[in-house]
Amino acid sequence: MEHYDIIIAGGGMAGLSLAFYLSRSPLRSRSILLVDRERKEKNDRTWCYWERGDGPFEAIVYRKWRAIDFYGTSFSGSLDLGDYQYKMLRGIDFYRFMHEELQKLPNLDVRFGEITHLEDLEQGGMVVVGGKPIVAPVVFDSTYRLPQSTPRTHNLLQHFKGWVITTERDCFDPNRPRVMDFRVEQQEDCRFLYVLPFNKRQALVEYTIFNEQVLASEAYEDSLRQYIDRFLEAGSYRIEETEFGIIPMSDVAVSENPSQHIVRIGTSGGYTKPSTGYTFQRTQRYLQELVASMETTNQVPVRKQPGFPKWFKQALDSVLLNVLQNKRHPADDVFTKLFQRNPPERVFRFMDEDTSFLEDLQIVNSMPKGPFAMAVFDLIRQRALHL
């Protein structure tokens, strides 16, 4: 049986980011194994996030903007982001950067193959790859799939398809991305477009849906074509790249430390914000906390969980999911009021869970009162019935 000090199960965004932070800590001397299904050599996804100042991946940020355009039900216009920048990171740039950085780790092994088994044993966490068991005192697992049918929880999917297109005409403003453009048929769901321009003739156009059912591929493509024809003066255009993704939006309780030697990370560890699907920045923050904990204690790391503020923010996520899942109020109008009645910086702080309790109350006060009150009562009723 092979042995390592640390095993990272899964080499996606969370697994690679963890290896990156380990490489910049005193833990870099440990023997580390990173296991992934296959080598990542395609531009298969895009991460967008907001940030103050420069972050750890500034060298590979593909585009960044200080203002965004929003199109809602009763409010549309440009939003100045203040101290924040909206940043775009391409998957292929992230993978190349990570693999170049991790090559500098003298004690890192990367193995490609399917993890067929993951278990906590007395002597450590064990993964089985290619029929071979491998053990380490700590296994960081990003392969665990969140349950999507747990009673008394809310479970939506954020699913999206995007095209990088090159157009016949100048039709994009490189300084103005469109974020959450709701000028499309909602079909009683939450449906919107992103338009992230690279230059005047090239952009990522992405169709995003919050609901419970993934569509056939043709449905996304039809909606993308309709949007481009209706809202972009593109002329003819060529599809350069395609991306597709599914992100769970769930308030199911997730244990980051399900057993003695296993730590779940990324979406598997509940790092995705349930009400929005945003994952990238929370993952970076939480992983840095794990590495700091491991440096200090020299044991399997446990992230310190905040008290009441964290609980209150989780409750707000459940309320919003209840509104969306039960269609208590049109989703496009919910997000319109969020941006119309709050400064963009407050919205971003709220999504990053950096807001104060007073700011949380200001966010709550900006929402439609009746539908959200119904959601609160429904949540209280559900909890009371199952005490």
Side-chain angles (χ1 to χ4, degrees):
M1 188 179 293
E2 291 185 79
H3 292 266
Y4 285 84
D5 294 323
I6 298 169
I7 295 174
I8 303 173
M13 183 267 287
L16 289 172
S17 296
L18 174 60
F20 174 77
Y21 293 121
L22 287 170
S23 76
R24 278 158 170 68
S25 80
L27 302 170
R28 69 188 315 273
S29 61
R30 305 284 179 91
S31 61
I32 303 170
L33 174 65
L34 173 66
V35 183
D36 199 13
R37 183 181 292 109
E38 59 187 6
R39 188 182 301 275
K40 290 180 167 56
E41 297 178 327
K42 297 179 181 179
N43 191 36
D44 59 349
R45 66 191 63 234
T46 301
W47 292 286
C48 289
Y49 57 98
W50 47 86
E51 189 171 45
R52 286 192 180 104
D54 293 344
F57 307 118
E58 204 65 26
I60 55 170
V61 169
Y62 191 64
R63 291 290 184 275
K64 52 188 175 183
W65 301 277
R66 292 192 173 276
I68 59 175
D69 287 343
F70 177 88
Y71 295 88
T73 54
S74 57
F75 165 76
S76 296
S78 180
L79 302 173
D80 188 298
L81 305 186
D83 292 338
Y84 282 92
Q85 294 182 82
Y86 191 69
K87 300 182 179 182
M88 176 184 179
L89 190 58
R90 299 194 313 163
I92 190 63
D93 297 331
F94 181 80
Y95 302 142
R96 288 172 178 166
F97 171 80
M98 283 298 184
H99 289 303
E100 288 173 5
E101 288 294 309
L102 298 182
Q103 283 178 2
K104 303 172 186 176
L105 262 178
N107 301 310
L108 172 72
D109 290 339
V110 179
R111 192 168 305 182
F112 298 104
E114 192 77 30
I115 296 174
T116 56
H117 187 69
L118 194 155
E119 182 181 354
D120 198 344
L121 305 177
E122 184 176 347
Q123 65 268 40
M126 179 186 72
V127 299
V128 177
V129 184
K132 297 180 180 179
I134 311 167
V135 175
V138 57
V139 174
F140 293 97
D141 177 26
S142 66
T143 66
Y144 173 75
R145 291 180 176 271
L146 297 181
Q148 288 287 298
S149 57
T150 305
R152 304 184 302 282
T153 61
H154 303 90
N155 298 284
L156 295 176
L157 298 174
Q158 178 181 152
H159 44 109
F160 50 87
K161 189 164 192 174
W163 288 340
V164 173
I165 62 172
T166 299
T167 63
E168 176 189 10
R169 303 171 186 160
D170 293 352
C171 63
F172 303 116
D173 181 346
N175 297 315
R176 290 298 175 92
R178 298 182 186 180
V179 176
M180 301 193 90
D181 187 340
F182 286 101
R183 295 176 297 174
V184 292
E185 179 62 42
Q186 294 297 294
Q187 301 183 42
E188 297 188 335
D189 292 323
C190 178
R191 302 184 180 220
F192 54 92
L193 270 291
Y194 284 100
V195 180
L196 305 178
F198 307 159
N199 53 53
K200 292 181 179 181
R201 295 195 180 189
Q202 193 172 69
L204 170 64
V205 184
E206 191 157 274
Y207 181 54
T208 302
I209 305 173
F210 297 174
N211 66 10
E212 297 167 282
Q213 185 63 50
V214 175
L215 308 183
S217 181
E218 296 78 13
Y220 301 98
E221 293 171 2
D222 287 346
S223 294
L224 283 166
R225 290 190 190 95
Q226 291 172 20
Y227 180 86
I228 293 169
D229 292 344
R230 183 178 176 188
F231 295 109
L232 299 177
E233 297 179 359
S236 62
Y237 57 90
R238 183 174 64 252
I239 301 170
E240 308 285 0
E241 296 176 357
T242 299
E243 68 175 38
F244 176 77
I246 304 172
I247 301 172
M249 299 172 62
S250 173
D251 59 359
V252 63
V254 179
S255 174
E256 292 182 51
N257 295 76
S259 54
Q260 184 178 358
H261 304 100
I262 295 174
V263 182
R264 291 176 182 154
I265 60 174
T267 299
S268 300
Y271 292 5
T272 298
K273 187 167 178 62
S275 57
T276 63
Y278 283 111
T279 307
F280 188 85
Q281 280 294 72
R282 283 163 59 99
T283 296
Q284 304 309 316
R285 180 182 302 184
Y286 292 178
L287 291 178
Q288 290 178 74
E289 291 175 8
L290 285 179
V291 171
S293 169
M294 203 169 176
E295 288 176 7
T296 303
T297 65
N298 202 32
Q299 297 177 353
V300 175
V302 178
R303 275 199 325 110
K304 183 178 180 181
Q305 299 295 323
F308 171 76
K310 176 71 173 178
W311 174 87
F312 184 69
K313 293 177 191 299
Q314 290 175 334
L316 293 181
D317 280 328
S318 292
V319 170
L320 180 53
L321 283 175
N322 187 284
V323 170
L324 296 177
Q325 187 163 315
N326 293 289
K327 307 184 190 304
R328 299 188 187 280
H329 192 84
D332 53 352
D333 194 55
V334 169
F335 286 101
T336 298
K337 287 179 168 52
L338 180 65
F339 280 96
Q340 183 178 17
R341 298 176 178 178
N342 296 279
E345 290 178 277
R346 182 189 297 158
V347 175
F348 291 159
R349 286 198 302 273
F350 176 73
M351 292 183 180
D352 279 341
E353 299 187 342
D354 287 336
T355 42
S356 65
F357 181 61
L358 175 60
E359 288 176 310
D360 287 340
L361 292 180
Q362 291 172 320
I363 292 285
V364 170
N365 190 53
S366 69
M367 294 291 95
K369 302 297 188 296
F372 275 74
M374 291 175 63
V376 170
F377 288 131
D378 188 34
L379 288 169
I380 293 173
R381 179 187 62 81
Q382 289 180 31
R383 303 296 189 270
L385 287 174
H386 295 91
L387 286 177

